[in-house]
Amino acid sequence: MKRGRNPRAFNAHEVDKELDELKKHGKLYLGPSMADLPRPLSLCILLRLPTKRLLVCRCVCKTWRNIISDPQFAKLHFSKAEAFPLVRSLSPTHISRNLYLVEPPEHSSGFDLRDCCDCYGYSSSECHFHMKLETKLKIPLRNEELAMNSEGDVNVSGNSKGGVKRKRCIKLRPKDHKLNLVNSCNGFLCLSEPSRNDPVVVCNPITGEFINLPVLTSADESFSRKFWDCGLGFSPKTNQYKVIRMFDQQEQVNERIRDPITGRESFSPRVAEIHTLGTESWKRIGCAPSSTYGYKLEFPSYLNGALHWLVMDYNSSEYITSFNFDKEIFQPIPPPPLERGMIGWEWETMKDIALGALKDRLCICHHDYVSFEIEVWVMKKYGVRKSWKNVFRIDTTTKESRWLHGVYEPISYLRNGSILFFHRFANAVVYYNAKGRFSSLKFLKIRGVKSKYEAIAYTPSFISLNNAVIGDNLATLNVASRCAGMKLQGETKALFLREEDEDWDSDFD
């Protein structure tokens, strides 16, 4: 009988040694990787990248992820970041968790045609700006458990095609799951419940983190509250984030209350409450300002430790109000010296005024009915009436002498000297380069889903909510939960920015 040789015993140590040798040879052959760069050099490179690339780099390797997630990097990046439009679909039938950050192309500081398009062989009149919105972020659903249980679903599809199982597509009722975008502050968003505009969530769409705010107690629910206004802000003195909400309480008011802005006394039941992130309750702080005939406070904008709104009050010349988060008081802000005869403090003219912040300065955009121009006013020194300056007068008529009316909401003043607006009626990001050869408005319309859109000014931030919020009662959740794997109707469609200057009849009345 022929005896065979006994097989050699498996030696794990020798196998590991051989693998180490192979890795060394592989590194010698491939050369050093980006992960081998000194940390200061990696930090310098990553700080120069746009948000879209940083979101990708965060998934490349642990080294880069640790650098990008470091609080020091997050603060440095935020200090250098610019504000851009954060866009979301307003479809009445679909739930949209997707937010799109409208950043300029990487090889350009703006949205100029000569920088963004391949125009070889075409004249400037034949070539139009066209860009896919690739920086897609997500916000949470309002009722995740309801979605997981498939309650309220209109259409659930789990069919397979070609033997491959397809991800189910769910259509949810907006009234059960939709959240409103209220405002942004230091890279965080305030989201509210649509029917009453009650603030319910604070989130950072870049990191995917969010916090659920305290809900109304049974005692609070016994009073049929009617919410109107809310917003998120930051107190530099205490280093705390706070949410304010204002509502009309239904309790009978027997004493005349003095309005904190106008000073007029009335029986108004309008009050305000404050919630400090990291705590478990809301605090009543007294009477809140109100707009004439029940109009909401418009365009909440955070700046210099205060939240600012436009007040539609025809009996007062101080139509900008603010809430100081350090002192927790309402204060009027002196408006720019617009000619009274032009705006008249009437609804038909006040509705074409928008409030915002450009380069850390309070800004008012007024669309003049007489001259067909946008007046851009900037407050050079905060709180000083005489520091208001009219920095731009922009003609809004087209080449066909059409007047494009409506509100031009200020979003950002870019480093290249151009301004971004959002025009709600036109579904367009409006770009104006004051230093360009042809200083005219460029309408970059949002295409992809047949619906209207909303946009707010947003400065991207990689700062974690856990590092920014002080308190022991912080329960931070993440959008990347079980619901993140669900496919909601209309969410997978891509959005594009496309320059258009014809057929305005379809968008303007």
Side-chain angles (χ1 to χ4, degrees):
M1 180 174 175
K2 195 172 182 180
R3 299 179 61 187
R5 194 185 343 176
N6 291 331
R8 189 174 62 175
F10 178 78
N11 192 324
H13 179 71
E14 289 185 3
V15 172
D16 291 339
K17 188 175 180 181
E18 289 179 6
L19 287 174
D20 289 340
E21 289 295 328
L22 287 173
K23 287 181 180 178
K24 288 180 181 178
H25 287 298
K27 284 187 176 181
L28 289 174
Y29 177 75
L30 296 175
S33 67
M34 290 293 291
D36 297 324
L37 289 175
R39 184 182 177 87
L41 188 56
S42 297
L43 182 67
C44 183
I45 293 173
L46 292 173
L47 280 173
R48 297 173 181 270
L49 297 180
T51 305
K52 177 178 66 176
R53 292 303 173 197
L54 281 175
L55 291 173
V56 174
C57 290
R58 196 171 54 173
C59 303
V60 170
C61 62
K62 289 184 178 180
T63 302
W64 283 4
R65 185 175 186 85
N66 291 337
I67 292 176
I68 296 171
S69 302
D70 187 89
Q72 180 187 4
F73 173 87
K75 290 179 180 179
L76 287 172
H77 179 267
F78 182 76
S79 65
K80 298 175 181 294
E82 293 182 279
F84 296 113
L86 194 62
V87 176
R88 185 180 68 160
S89 167
L90 286 177
S91 172
T93 58
H94 298 165
I95 301 298
S96 179
R97 297 177 296 178
N98 292 342
L99 305 175
Y100 295 85
L101 188 64
V102 183
E103 293 181 294
E106 294 179 33
H107 56 279
S108 171
S109 60
F111 296 88
D112 291 304
L113 185 66
R114 61 180 181 275
D115 295 330
C116 305
C117 296
D118 183 7
C119 299
Y120 296 111
Y122 298 93
S123 66
S124 59
S125 62
E126 296 173 325
C127 185
H128 290 284
F129 179 94
H130 186 83
M131 183 182 78
K132 183 179 180 180
L133 298 182
E134 296 182 318
T135 308
K136 184 165 66 174
L137 311 172
K138 267 189 169 55
I139 57 175
L141 291 172
R142 192 168 88 243
N143 196 330
E144 185 174 291
E145 290 302 319
L146 183 64
M148 289 303 303
N149 295 332
S150 297
E151 296 179 14
D153 292 353
V154 178
N155 179 33
V156 179
S157 174
N159 298 330
S160 59
K161 186 177 181 181
V164 179
K165 188 176 181 180
R166 298 173 60 188
K167 186 185 294 185
R168 62 175 182 168
C169 180
I170 301 179
K171 184 177 180 180
L172 303 174
R173 286 197 287 260
K175 70 185 184 79
D176 295 326
H177 299 281
K178 191 174 181 178
L179 287 171
N180 284 346
L181 292 179
V182 180
N183 77 302
S184 67
C185 173
N186 297 346
F188 301 148
L189 296 179
C190 180
L191 309 176
S192 69
E193 183 273 335
S195 64
R196 297 190 300 181
N197 200 31
D198 182 19
V200 293
V201 171
V202 170
C203 77
N204 184 343
I206 296 291
T207 63
E209 301 166 309
F210 68 95
I211 302 171
N212 289 320
L213 303 180
V215 297
L216 293 175
T217 63
S218 56
D220 293 328
E221 287 287 4
S222 63
F223 301 104
S224 180
R225 297 184 174 196
K226 186 177 182 180
F227 287 88
W228 284 97
D229 303 294
C230 61
L232 171 68
F234 178 71
S235 171
K237 187 175 181 180
T238 62
N239 203 32
Q240 293 175 317
Y241 285 88
K242 301 179 181 181
V243 179
I244 183 173
R245 66 184 182 188
M246 291 163 276
F247 57 91
D248 292 336
Q249 59 182 347
Q250 299 303 311
E251 300 96 316
Q252 185 176 358
V253 179
N254 298 317
E255 298 180 1
R256 294 176 69 87
I257 300 173
R258 185 180 297 274
D259 189 286
I261 299 299
T262 64
R264 294 195 305 273
E265 291 185 350
S266 66
F267 293 101
S268 172
R270 192 171 174 81
V271 296
E273 290 182 343
I274 280 288
H275 169 71
T276 301
L277 296 191
T279 63
E280 296 180 328
S281 61
W282 292 84
K283 179 179 68 173
R284 183 72 60 88
I285 59 173
C287 182
S290 59
S291 290
T292 306
Y293 305 129
Y295 288 123
K296 289 184 60 180
L297 304 182
E298 295 285 345
F299 307 107
S301 304
Y302 174 80
L303 182 69
N304 285 354
L307 197 60
H308 305 79
W309 299 270
L310 283 184
V311 181
M312 302 301 175
D313 194 322
Y314 311 145
N315 301 311
S316 174
S317 60
E318 307 292 344
Y319 55 88
I320 305 176
T321 186
S322 71
F323 180 81
N324 187 294
F325 286 96
D326 284 337
K327 302 176 182 179
E328 295 189 352
I329 59 173
F330 292 97
Q331 296 173 318
I333 298 294
L338 300 175
E339 295 182 25
R340 191 179 182 89
M342 291 172 59
I343 65 171
W345 316 115
E346 297 179 0
W347 169 245
E348 285 302 318
T349 50
M350 284 293 288
K351 70 179 182 180
D352 285 334
I353 297 178
L355 176 72
L358 297 179
K359 294 190 71 173
D360 296 328
R361 290 174 177 173
L362 201 62
C363 168
I364 283 285
C365 289
H366 170 226
H367 198 177
D368 190 345
Y369 274 94
V370 178
S371 64
F372 302 152
E373 292 179 328
I374 305 172
E375 294 183 348
V376 181
W377 291 81
V378 171
M379 182 178 266
K380 297 288 187 177
K381 189 174 181 180
Y382 184 74
V384 178
R385 184 186 298 271
K386 293 183 178 180
S387 69
W388 281 104
K389 183 179 180 182
N390 190 344
V391 292
F392 292 109
R393 293 185 67 92
I394 306 171
D395 187 9
T396 61
T397 54
T398 66
K399 298 176 182 178
E400 295 79 19
S401 298
R402 293 284 308 278
W403 174 39
L404 308 180
H405 66 84
V407 179
Y408 289 78
E409 303 173 26
I411 298 293
S412 178
Y413 186 84
L414 302 180
R415 295 190 183 98
N416 69 344
S418 58
I419 301 180
L420 290 180
F421 304 91
F422 180 72
H423 200 292
R424 197 177 299 269
F425 293 162
N427 269 2
V429 174
V430 184
Y431 178 73
Y432 176 76
N433 189 349
K435 297 182 179 180
R437 178 181 298 179
F438 303 103
S439 299
S440 61
L441 292 176
K442 178 185 294 187
F443 283 78
L444 307 175
K445 303 199 71 177
I446 302 168
R447 297 298 191 189
V449 180
K450 292 182 179 180
S451 64
K452 291 289 184 180
Y453 295 89
E454 63 178 333
I456 62 173
Y458 178 72
T459 304
S461 170
F462 287 84
I463 298 174
S464 169
L465 276 170
N466 287 312
N467 295 327
V469 177
I470 303 172
D472 300 327
N473 300 310
L474 184 67
T476 304
L477 305 174
N478 203 291
V479 176
S481 63
R482 291 176 298 168
C483 278
M486 290 183 176
K487 176 185 175 184
L488 302 188
Q489 189 177 32
E491 276 197 339
T492 58
K493 294 184 179 180
L495 292 190
F496 297 86
L497 275 190
R498 189 170 67 196
E499 182 181 3
E500 294 185 14
D501 53 7
E502 69 278 345
D503 194 23
W504 288 107
D505 290 329
S506 61
D507 298 299
F508 293 90
D509 299 326

